[in-house]
Amino acid sequence: MQSNRPLGLPRMIAGVIGVVVVVGAAAGFAVAWRPAIAAIELPAPSSFDPALVKRGRELAAIGNCNDCHTVKGGGSFAGGLPVQTPFGTIYSSNITPDVQTGIGRWPEEAFRRAMRSGVNRDGQHLYPTFPYDHFTNVSDEDDAALYAFLMTRPPVDAPPRANRLSFPLDQRFVIAGWKLLFLRRGLYQPDSTRSAEWNRGAYLGEGLAHCGACHTPRNGLGAERSNAQFAGGDVDNWQAFALNKQSPAPVPWDAEALYVYLRQGFHPDHGTARGPMAEVVSNLSSVNESDVRAIAIYMADVFGAPSIDDRKRGEAVLAQARSPAPLTLDSNVNAAGASIYAAACATCHETGRALPYGGVNLALSTALSSPDPRNAINIVLSGIRPVEGERSPIMPGFAASMNDGQIATLLQFLRDRFSNQPPWSGVEKMVADARQSQPVLLQTSSGSHDAPRESMRREKR
């Protein structure tokens, strides 16, 4: 039976498909390709204005750059810190001015492109563990100060470690597609209806400090969910608490409390910064007070004014904290947990002693009021190390002296006694999981920087 189809039709279809493929490949190349920027000779440190370097030092502290680019036993800013993401492990890069393995031959133009667009001097796309989706907000002047600071650091010969990513994510051109979907370019635009302090805080909090990188949940492709900004995130097996109306804090935050907490790492009505947040406040303690206060003012606005009910609940919690009920071993609730608390915790938490030997009143603990018990688990396991030179809280860890069941029983008692929230579920398994990562917890608690980062954030690649 003879076909009526023209003999040239298959050839025409094949030609059209070929054209589509070629055009698609050309478009993909155009999207992914970025030119290299010519290398320069290493500038002399004396060529940078000391005032600019000093400002860059403060900006680097606000950006927490050292904690993502320094591993224990390595040189400052020399990279090599592993970031364990859902897609594999990515290692931070060397941002010292070493001419072979660092950024010593990068002109300022290349540094600014990396900050704004996530592309290195050679034209390679950088993985978004480096938060250029926030750094696109940073001004030319602040980029120049950061560049001056980094280019005057001691150079460290530290070759990059190979990332461990599966195909096709190990191909950097794939990141170009991620950027098309999620990278929004453009400098911060001040809000004329707001104060200068609020705008300064927004510029820093949304930009260099990249608060949302930890405190915003992420989608399946590792990008921050724009419809859930500051609703809480996961970082290094810790929960980064929500910083908006969803905050589990028993006492509502205000700008003054945030300022004290960010500056000192502790507030008597809210507790102590632990985990990755301890690194953040350690850096913020060294920067200009006005910048920290501006961030606090902006973040207080993100939290929003508490409702009348929230304010009343906070006042009731504070009253309870000032006049705690005597400890009783009530067999109708959790006698085993109460007994562990009486033996291991009450000596510090029930005596009303001043810091550092008196424990924080646990009715004020956000960790115990949170829907996620991980932070409370981590603190019980690894304790709280003292902050050098400050009257900060201290607490021993109980990883070696309590088994998983005892810690879970204790935590359920604490949850029942010190919060008005329902019991947690699956606590014992979560304790066991956290214990498996105990070396990470201990290193995070002690402030060293070679623990893996289990997130898509804060990493300069």
Side-chain angles (χ1 to χ4, degrees), residues 30-375:
V31 168
W33 180 80
R34 295 292 182 274
I37 295 177
I40 62 171
E41 294 299 319
L42 176 65
S46 59
S47 65
F48 295 98
D49 181 358
L52 191 66
V53 173
K54 180 178 182 296
R55 181 58 185 152
R57 177 183 290 107
E58 291 198 349
L59 292 170
I62 291 171
N64 209 40
C65 304
N66 59 320
D67 283 307
C68 285
H69 289 273
T70 305
V71 296
K72 186 177 181 180
S76 295
F77 302 104
L81 189 77
V83 179
Q84 293 185 359
T85 78
F87 316 104
T89 303
I90 300 172
Y91 292 91
S92 65
S93 56
N94 183 349
I95 55 171
T96 74
D98 183 73
V99 295
Q100 297 297 328
T101 64
I103 62 170
R105 302 199 68 192
W106 285 37
E108 186 179 325
E109 174 192 1
F111 179 80
R112 187 165 52 251
R113 182 173 73 171
M115 291 285 287
R116 298 270 177 82
S117 301
V119 178
N120 68 11
R121 189 188 66 79
D122 293 331
Q124 294 179 319
H125 290 277
L126 304 176
Y127 287 100
T129 42
F130 171 32
Y132 45 79
D133 52 339
H134 287 271
F135 295 165
T136 185
N137 286 314
V138 179
S139 68
D140 289 350
E141 295 77 11
D142 283 350
D143 276 340
L146 282 165
Y147 177 75
F149 170 69
L150 292 173
M151 293 297 278
T152 53
R153 298 309 90 206
V156 179
D157 182 6
R161 299 179 64 178
N163 298 322
R164 298 197 300 269
L165 297 167
S166 58
F167 183 84
L169 297 178
D170 59 345
Q171 306 299 308
R172 289 182 181 263
F173 69 82
V174 173
I175 302 303
W178 188 94
K179 292 177 181 178
L180 284 176
L181 292 172
F182 303 116
L183 182 59
R184 302 292 177 263
R185 293 179 172 85
L187 296 177
Y188 173 75
Q189 298 300 317
D191 184 342
S192 61
T193 67
R194 301 286 191 163
S195 68
E197 272 190 308
W198 186 96
N199 275 291
R200 179 64 179 168
Y203 166 73
L204 293 173
E206 298 285 355
L208 200 57
H210 57 287
C211 305
C214 289
H215 290 275
T216 298
R218 294 180 180 271
N219 63 25
L221 295 177
E224 294 174 33
R225 290 169 48 195
S226 58
N227 62 346
Q229 189 178 31
F230 296 117
D234 296 320
V235 185
D236 296 355
N237 201 38
W238 293 78
Q239 181 189 28
F241 294 127
L243 302 181
N244 54 21
K245 291 289 188 181
Q246 301 174 47
S247 168
V251 177
W253 287 92
D254 59 27
E256 185 58 29
L258 283 165
Y259 169 75
V260 172
Y261 181 83
L262 292 173
R263 190 72 176 170
Q264 301 177 9
F266 171 77
H267 189 280
D269 293 348
H270 294 280
T272 306
R274 299 314 309 145
M277 193 63 199
E279 302 167 358
V280 173
V281 298
S282 176
N283 277 311
L284 290 178
S285 68
S286 66
V287 307
N288 191 298
E289 291 185 9
S290 64
D291 280 343
V292 180
R293 189 170 294 280
I295 293 173
I297 288 171
Y298 172 68
M299 293 312 306
D301 190 58
V302 171
F303 274 101
S307 67
I308 294 175
D309 288 343
D310 287 342
R311 188 178 294 110
K312 287 181 177 179
R313 278 193 294 269
E315 291 171 353
V317 169
L318 286 173
Q320 176 189 350
R322 295 186 182 105
S323 301
L327 175 65
T328 58
L329 303 184
D330 186 348
S331 60
N332 293 324
V333 281
N334 183 346
S339 297
I340 296 171
Y341 174 76
C345 314
T347 304
C348 290
H349 288 282
E350 296 280 344
T351 58
R353 291 187 297 177
L355 295 175
Y357 303 108
V360 173
N361 190 294
L362 296 177
L364 302 171
S365 170
T366 303
L368 294 180
S369 294
S370 169
D372 188 323
R374 283 177 298 167
N375 290 13

